[in-house]
Amino acid sequence: MLTMKKQNVRTLSLIVCTFTYLLVGAAVFDALESEFETSKREELDKEESSIRDKYNISRDDLETLRRNIIRSVPYKAGTQWKFAGAFYFALTVITTIGYGHSTPQTVGGKVFCMFYALSGIPLCIVMFQSVGERLNTFVTFLVKHIRKCFRMKSTEVMQTHLIFIAMNLSTIVLVSGAAIFSHFEGWTYIDSFYYCFITLTTIGFGDLVALQKDNMLTKEPQYVTFCLIFILFGLTVISAAMNLLVLRFLTMNTVDEKRAEMEAAAAARGAVRLEGDVITANGSVVSGAQETPEYNDLISVCSCSCYNLRSKGKPRYSVTRAPGKISHLLTMQATSTKEDSHSCTDDSASFMQWQNLGKKRASI
């Protein structure tokens, strides 16, 4: 029975865990949000009916008013497409955050946005991964010298240490950023922390977006600069942490592959191959094998330790009879053909005995 490799088992386990995680998440969101959604819809419908009755607005007029309000939301937030706002939008495009707070409305803007994202997203991913690697290298250098300063026995920095530091640094960025956004935007702290997390993980729902009130994009350049730096630096830190986690997983797969290769090599050394027949280490014969030996450093079929001949690019022995007659390889019957004989140097009696046997050469 074939055994699955560890990396295949790990991949299958990841698939099962991912789908299980999705099912658990769906169940929890259903329990938390379903009843609130129903009650909120009833509350809004009741309020809408009250407004219609109060101002005697028809359903069609109310629907027109609703569409107008929805379309005017980005424009009510302030100027979006001057250079500061356009730079903010471009950043959300190539980082795949995609708030949706403002979108291109012209045909040229939509076409350019597609081509811009097509080239910018891979460039941004590679850039953040590269900067994350440099950050990990700097942290490794820093931690190593700190351990030397404290005269620790081992100055080696493991991947676990880097992951722990990256996670703590990510937490610091999220906590401090949430406090600043709560102050400038007037959000509650939990909403600010939620906004920072959704932004730096590039989920970007768009239910909370910074710089969207009181025309901040044009009136508060310092705050705009902080928002841009926060997004860039935060994404770099998160990318460093993700890079470490991915590297850890790839390292585990590489170790498993090397171990599998070593086990296969050890199994190959424990078998003797004879042009279609294989003599395994326990002495049994397996017929029909078609593989060829990968190792030139082979041992003799008769397990005589006195055969110290070295092969030069070719197998040490060769089979001179059909595989079906392999059971008669060491018969006591003399043959008429003259072949090279191998002898041990222990004593003269053994030498004469082996000379009369008419040995056949075999390849291992």
Side-chain angles (χ1 to χ4, degrees):
M1 181 179 179
L2 297 176
T3 58
M4 297 179 67
K5 293 183 178 180
K6 287 186 177 180
Q7 51 266 38
N8 295 336
V9 174
R10 185 180 294 113
T11 301
L12 181 61
S13 300
L14 285 173
I15 295 173
V16 173
C17 289
T18 300
F19 279 97
T20 304
Y21 197 72
L22 289 172
L23 293 175
V24 172
V28 172
F29 284 123
D30 184 7
L32 294 176
E33 299 291 338
S34 180
E35 293 183 2
F36 178 80
E37 178 190 19
T38 303
S39 62
K40 193 67 176 178
R41 180 185 292 111
E42 293 176 355
E43 179 184 346
L44 293 174
D45 289 341
K46 190 178 297 184
E47 185 177 355
E48 180 179 310
S49 298
S50 176
I51 294 174
R52 287 179 56 197
D53 295 340
K54 182 178 180 179
Y55 296 101
N56 194 20
I57 302 175
S58 65
R59 185 177 296 275
D60 293 338
D61 291 340
L62 184 62
E63 186 65 28
T64 303
L65 182 62
R66 180 186 293 112
R67 288 197 300 268
N68 181 270
I69 292 173
I70 293 174
R71 289 197 301 265
S72 65
V73 168
Y75 303 100
K76 296 295 184 181
T79 304
Q80 297 291 327
W81 292 106
K82 293 300 180 181
F83 184 80
F87 189 90
Y88 187 48
F89 172 79
L91 180 63
T92 62
V93 170
I94 65 173
T95 56
T96 68
I97 296 175
Y99 290 130
H101 64 290
S102 62
T103 55
Q105 299 299 315
T106 63
V107 175
K110 293 177 181 178
V111 173
F112 176 75
C113 182
M114 290 187 288
F115 283 100
Y116 186 76
L118 191 63
S119 303
I121 291 174
L123 176 64
C124 187
I125 292 174
V126 172
M127 186 271 290
F128 278 122
Q129 287 294 324
S130 180
V131 175
E133 290 177 0
R134 295 302 93 202
L135 181 61
N136 291 331
T137 303
F138 174 74
V139 172
T140 302
F141 173 81
L142 192 62
V143 172
K144 185 178 294 185
H145 280 72
I146 291 175
R147 294 171 72 91
K148 286 182 180 180
C149 291
F150 284 96
R151 299 183 181 278
M152 294 184 177
K153 294 181 179 180
S154 176
T155 59
E156 184 179 1
V157 180
M158 307 296 293
Q159 286 185 359
T160 307
H161 301 155
L162 294 178
I163 293 175
F164 178 77
I165 294 172
M167 290 301 179
N168 282 285
L169 187 58
S170 301
T171 303
I172 293 172
V173 171
L174 289 172
V175 170
S176 59
I180 297 174
F181 283 111
S182 178
H183 171 73
F184 281 95
E185 298 290 341
W187 299 330
T188 62
Y189 185 81
I190 185 63
D191 285 343
S192 298
F193 191 89
Y194 167 79
Y195 164 76
C196 294
F197 181 84
I198 295 300
T199 296
L200 297 186
T201 53
T202 68
I203 297 173
F205 288 132
D207 50 346
L208 293 173
V209 183
L211 302 172
Q212 295 303 298
K213 69 176 185 178
D214 300 332
N215 207 11
M216 287 182 173
L217 283 168
T218 56
K219 292 182 179 180
E220 298 188 20
Q222 296 86 355
Y223 182 51
V224 174
T225 304
F226 165 77
C227 291
L228 298 176
I229 293 176
F230 173 80
I231 293 176
L232 292 172
F233 180 74
L235 288 174
T236 300
V237 173
I238 298 298
S239 297
M242 294 299 103
N243 187 43
L244 287 171
L245 292 175
V246 172
L247 181 62
R248 179 65 176 171
F249 179 78
L250 294 177
T251 302
M252 294 171 63
N253 278 343
T254 303
V255 171
D256 290 339
E257 290 175 0
K258 289 183 178 179
R259 185 183 296 112
E261 291 177 359
M262 293 176 65
E263 291 176 356
R269 288 193 182 96
V272 178
R273 304 181 186 278
L274 295 172
E275 295 182 5
D277 295 80
V278 175
I279 301 177
T280 60
N282 59 7
S284 61
V285 178
V286 179
S287 300
Q290 300 296 327
E291 298 181 11
T292 57
E294 298 179 359
Y295 301 93
N296 291 328
D297 190 10
L298 306 174
I299 59 176
S300 173
V301 174
C302 62
S303 300
C304 183
S305 60
C306 62
Y307 294 149
N308 293 323
L309 299 177
R310 292 285 183 254
S311 60
K312 298 181 179 179
K314 297 181 179 180
R316 188 179 301 171
Y317 305 102
S318 61
V319 175
T320 57
R321 59 174 62 195
K325 299 179 181 181
I326 193 170
S327 59
H328 305 289
L329 184 62
L330 299 178
T331 56
M332 299 299 295
Q333 192 176 18
T335 60
S336 59
T337 60
K338 293 183 180 181
E339 298 180 352
D340 296 337
S341 61
H342 305 285
S343 61
C344 297
T345 59
D346 293 339
D347 53 80
S348 59
S350 298
F351 177 81
M352 295 298 296
Q353 182 179 0
W354 282 103
Q355 198 172 28
N356 294 329
L357 283 178
K359 288 187 56 57
K360 310 298 181 180
R361 294 177 296 173
S363 66
I364 299 174

